[in-house]
Structure formats: C-alpha cells, structure tokens
Amino acid sequence: SGCFARTKEYKLYSNGDFFHMLNDKWERNPLDKQQLSDKQKDIYYQLKKALDKENIWDFTKPHRIHGKN
C-alpha cells in the first residue's frame, strides 16, 4: 500500500501496518497493535485520523507541488 502518514518516529500505512522508524527503518516488523504503549496508541490514532481524512503520500497518483508537474 502506497498511502501512509508519519511522524519523525512512526509511520502508519493505510493497510494498518504501523512501524517505529527509529528501530525498524526498513519496515520489516510492524508493531503489534495489542502491545502498543499509551504514547504509541496516541500516535497511531493521530496518524489514522489523518489517513482517514485524506490519503497522504499516495504514490499511485501524480502530485502537483507548487504548480509544477
């Protein structure tokens, strides 16, 4: 899935895969949502809300940045 939202430390894909980027920069081991800390849960739900609002970084579609492309 190409759609995701992220912070500096965490990345959530629209398919639900959630990664701690500082510990897993190659995104090989999604975090277990049943074992998230309270801080991680807060970040997860913030990113999910952003994804539910709109697809962020959807590389399946062309993007226009500052009137270019």
Side-chain angles (χ1 to χ4, degrees):
S1 172
C3 299
F4 64 86
R6 70 169 292 168
T7 66
K8 187 175 180 179
E9 291 185 47
Y10 293 92
K11 187 173 187 180
L12 175 64
Y13 282 92
S14 57
N15 70 359
D17 287 345
F18 186 48
F19 296 95
H20 187 245
M21 300 304 293
L22 300 180
N23 294 337
D24 185 15
K25 75 177 190 176
W26 302 112
E27 301 175 13
R28 293 189 175 132
N29 300 297
L31 296 172
D32 182 345
K33 290 180 217 49
Q34 303 298 325
Q35 297 184 5
L36 298 178
S37 69
D38 288 341
K39 175 188 171 189
Q40 290 172 324
K41 286 177 188 175
D42 288 343
I43 293 167
Y44 174 88
Y45 287 114
Q46 288 173 11
L47 294 176
K48 181 158 180 13
K49 184 177 179 181
L51 276 174
D52 289 346
K53 185 176 180 182
E54 62 181 285
N55 289 330
I56 299 170
W57 299 109
D58 184 350
F59 293 110
T60 63
K61 299 177 185 173
H63 283 79
R64 188 169 287 237
I65 300 171
H66 301 293
K68 298 179 182 177
N69 281 356

